[in-house]
């Protein structure tokens, strides 16, 4: 019975080691980056600050050549939570933002007058 218990304990230790290997251990803060347009960033800055207060992550902005990058830094669990919230926030249309102008509708087709055959 002792051998069975020892083999079960050894098997459990081995399974736990493999589970630890499968998930990389991150020590310290991690950072996730999300690209965002300048207009969207301006419109959503308040929402980003609210997410920062709510989750405890640090959200920074970096200007790039084409757009801005939002960097979310914190522990793995809070960054995962905040990343989802940030992606949802920047995907939403803000009510104050100008909607892109639609092209004008095409003009109605020109109806040609039926051509009467010339008189004989």
């Amino acid at each position: 019975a002792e051998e069975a218990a020892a083999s079960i304990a050894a098997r459990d230790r081995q399974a736990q080691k493999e589970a630890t290997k499968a998930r990389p251990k991150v020590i310290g803060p991690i950072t996730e980056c999300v690209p965002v347009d300048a207009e969207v960033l301006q419109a959503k800055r308040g929402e980003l600050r609210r997410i920062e207060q709510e989750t405890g992550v640090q959200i920074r902005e970096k200007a790039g050549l084409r757009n801005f990058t939002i960097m979310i830094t914190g522990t793995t669990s809070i960054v995962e939570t905040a990343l989802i919230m940030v992606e949802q926030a920047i995907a939403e249309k803000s009510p104050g933002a100008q909607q892109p102008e639609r092209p004008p509708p095409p003009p109605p087709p020109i109806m040609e007058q039926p051509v009467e055959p010339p008189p004989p």
Side-chain angles (χ1 to χ4, degrees):
E2 287 181 31
E3 287 179 18
S7 77
I8 290 173
R11 197 171 2 142
D12 287 346
R13 280 194 303 272
Q14 184 65 28
Q16 198 165 13
K17 280 183 184 178
E18 288 177 15
T20 305
K21 285 181 189 175
R23 185 176 40 160
K25 196 172 191 179
V26 177
I27 299 174
I30 64 164
T31 302
E32 281 292 320
C33 299
V34 181
V36 64
D37 287 336
E39 295 84 32
V40 174
L41 180 60
Q42 289 260 225
K44 299 296 182 173
R45 208 168 253 145
E47 179 116 9
L48 293 174
R49 295 299 156 244
R50 183 189 62 76
I51 293 169
E52 195 173 29
Q53 294 289 320
E54 207 173 285
T55 60
V57 295
Q58 180 185 26
I59 298 178
R60 293 178 302 169
E61 305 162 5
K62 270 291 208 210
L65 291 175
R66 295 197 177 131
N67 53 21
F68 283 79
T69 300
I70 297 173
M71 295 180 294
I72 307 164
T73 304
T75 62
T76 304
S77 61
I78 64 172
V79 168
E80 286 173 343
T81 304
L83 180 61
I84 294 167
M85 294 169 77
V86 166
E87 288 174 338
Q88 287 174 346
I90 63 175
E92 293 172 357
K93 295 253 187 241
S94 58
Q98 293 179 344
Q99 296 296 326
E101 290 184 25
R102 292 186 196 155
I110 299 173
M111 299 294 289
E112 292 185 21
Q113 296 296 326
V115 179
E116 294 182 21

